[in-house]
Amino acid sequence: WAPYQACLTAREEHHNKKQQCDSLQGQFESSACHLATKQDEVCGCHEHAVNHFEALRTNFSVGETVRQHIHESAVRMECYIDALVSNGIGKNTDMHRCKELSIDTSHLEIAYGLVPVVSGTCPSAPPCSENWLSDEYSSGAWHDKAPAATCAPCETIAAGTLAPTEAPLSAPAVTDVYSTSGAFMALNKNTGQALCWGYKGGGGDCSGMDFTGTTDVYSTNYAFLALNKNAGTGRCWGHADWGGACSSIDFSGVTSASSNTYAFVVLSKTAGKGQCWGQADRGGDCSSIDFAGITNVSGGHAFFLAWNAKTGRAQCWGPWIRRSQCSRANLIGVTDIAIAQYSFVALNKNTGKFLCVGHLGRCSGFESTAVTDVYSTGHAFMALNKNTGKAQCFGNSYLGGSCSSIDFSDVTD
């Protein structure tokens, strides 16, 4: 009898211990889910910050390269001028020396530093996943004799114990995708639903917004504009300095809109009215522009172009391009515009002819007929004939202005 009693006691103790262990296991898994949620938040915050940093570094690095080339050109030009005005007999030698001159641009190099990494693994293995079960349970020497109970995935924990996550749009529901420098917007125009992600301060948060009836979406570097032309309404979000605040804008009667890196513009052809917002010195102020008769608006890096395709009258505003250069341009019949940082190319697809205006707008010597499409970087242009596969590039050769070695045959887009 004594052995039997001992067996019963042992079974009861084992049962009680198992219940205690199972309860502790549940608490452990619940805590692991909370930890995973917080770690994902940290990882997401770090990812957003890195994306923002990389976007800024990309923008700055382009300017850094340009400044270095400008400095090299200026020093070399100064050397050539000194050689030309000198009275010495070794001008050819001096000119050759200027050509081969090694120019130090180290003082124009920016040290961006290293991006700190998040400690641990991002993302970590979620609780109850195969790797997690192996790390926490099955690899333990005790597991064979005291196996863990069935793991409860995070989704089964009582509602409210974990931070809610927004259900993403399913792929077939998305009709259009847009972006700023640090965020995306996926829109379903049929339902008015949208999902935004990325840098929240740059347009990555559109939660709670209703996009029903949205006809067009535009973006600057850090803000979005969703326009409903039919209802005459618009809404903006993102960084206010980049156009993310537009409550003072009247969208009734708006027929077209555009954006550059820093600002937005909307046009009402019927009323001859244009409105701009964003950074005032980079296109966000168009109070001095006469929009009467304007049929089109287009934005580039930091300036806007408005023109009348019938009369050819054009106006520009923003830095780095002279208004007189635009006012002298004849844009009759222009169908497409490609804008760089200091200039633009205007194309008439009906005739295949294009013209260049501004600092990089010297396209003499290029065949300006039979062009089907024009494109731009911040510092260069490409004029393409898709029918023949022939392309011409001009502008800064370091930033896309040279493409003579590229075969564009069979290019469609």
Side-chain angles (χ1 to χ4, degrees):
W1 177 252
Y4 176 71
Q5 283 292 114
C7 182
L8 288 178
T9 301
R11 286 188 179 217
E12 184 176 0
E13 290 177 352
H14 177 268
H15 176 74
N16 293 338
K17 178 59 73 174
K18 186 177 186 306
Q19 284 188 322
Q20 181 184 6
C21 290
D22 288 349
S23 175
L24 291 173
Q25 178 184 334
Q27 295 177 33
F28 170 68
E29 290 169 1
S30 176
S31 298
C33 286
H34 284 282
L35 175 63
T37 300
K38 294 302 180 182
Q39 188 172 22
D40 286 345
E41 291 178 4
V42 171
C43 293
C45 178
H46 179 268
E47 183 181 2
H48 296 163
V50 170
N51 290 339
H52 180 53
F53 171 78
E54 293 295 348
L56 292 178
R57 178 161 63 179
T58 299
N59 289 340
F60 278 107
S61 62
V62 171
E64 179 185 2
T65 302
V66 172
R67 284 189 293 273
Q68 291 172 1
H69 289 312
I70 291 175
H71 176 72
E72 290 179 358
S73 300
V75 173
R76 206 176 304 279
M77 185 63 69
E78 184 178 14
C79 180
Y80 281 132
I81 292 173
D82 289 342
L84 288 172
V85 300
S86 66
N87 295 322
I89 59 175
K91 283 189 177 181
N92 289 338
T93 301
D94 290 341
M95 296 288 281
H96 180 74
R97 178 181 59 82
C98 292
K99 180 180 179 181
E100 302 298 328
L101 185 63
S102 177
I103 300 170
D104 180 22
T105 60
S106 59
H107 62 292
L108 297 174
E109 296 176 358
I110 301 176
Y112 295 99
L114 299 176
V115 177
V117 298
V118 177
S119 58
T121 304
C122 275
S124 59
C128 300
S129 65
E130 184 177 349
N131 290 338
W132 189 88
L133 290 173
S134 174
D135 292 340
E136 301 297 338
Y137 297 152
S138 59
S139 62
W142 49 267
H143 189 265
D144 290 339
K145 294 183 178 180
T150 302
C151 185
C154 296
E155 299 82 45
T156 65
I157 294 177
T161 59
L162 290 178
T165 57
E166 186 173 7
L169 294 172
S170 59
V174 174
T175 59
D176 299 274
V177 177
Y178 309 92
S179 65
T180 65
S181 286
F184 286 100
M185 175 196 186
L187 172 66
N188 183 335
K189 284 187 176 180
N190 300 321
T191 65
Q193 290 180 301
L195 176 68
C196 300
W197 69 98
Y199 173 45
K200 288 188 177 181
D205 182 8
C206 58
S207 55
M209 295 185 184
D210 181 10
F211 295 98
T212 301
T214 294
T215 56
D216 303 274
V217 177
Y218 304 88
S219 64
T220 64
N221 249 14
Y222 297 107
F224 285 105
L225 160 65
L227 181 63
N228 184 336
K229 291 180 182 177
N230 301 321
T233 59
R235 62 191 317 161
C236 306
W237 69 100
H239 201 299
D241 291 343
W242 270 266
C246 59
S247 58
S248 62
I249 303 300
D250 179 12
F251 290 99
S252 58
V254 167
T255 54
S256 58
S258 187
S259 62
N260 65 21
T261 304
Y262 306 94
F264 295 101
V265 58
V266 290
L267 170 68
S268 174
K269 295 180 186 179
T270 305
K273 175 185 176 183
Q275 302 170 86
C276 303
W277 70 99
Q279 296 193 20
D281 59 343
R282 286 171 167 78
D285 180 6
C286 55
S287 56
S288 63
I289 302 300
D290 179 13
F291 287 94
I294 294 300
T295 59
N296 304 84
V297 289
S298 187
H301 175 70
F303 73 90
F304 287 105
L305 167 67
W307 77 97
N308 185 317
K310 294 182 179 179
T311 66
R313 182 174 72 93
Q315 301 174 83
C316 296
W317 67 99
W320 305 318
I321 188 166
R322 298 175 183 174
R323 291 191 178 185
S324 59
Q325 292 175 312
C326 294
S327 61
R328 290 196 301 266
N330 184 356
L331 303 188
I332 292 178
V334 165
T335 57
D336 293 74
I337 295 287
I339 298 183
Q341 189 164 351
Y342 310 99
S343 50
F344 66 89
V345 168
L347 169 67
N348 184 334
K349 279 193 172 183
N350 299 318
T351 63
K353 294 183 178 181
F354 69 91
L355 60 89
C356 311
V357 179
H359 177 67
L360 293 177
R362 296 184 293 273
C363 51
S364 58
F366 291 90
E367 176 61 47
S368 60
T369 59
V371 171
T372 60
D373 300 271
V374 288
Y375 307 93
S376 65
T377 66
H379 302 273
F381 294 101
M382 171 185 176
L384 174 67
N385 184 332
K386 289 183 179 177
N387 300 321
T388 63
K390 178 182 178 183
Q392 304 167 87
C393 299
F394 47 95
N396 190 314
S397 60
Y398 293 96
L399 300 173
S402 176
C403 63
S404 57
S405 62
I406 307 297
D407 178 12
F408 293 98
S409 57
D410 299 326
V411 168
T412 58
D413 297 281

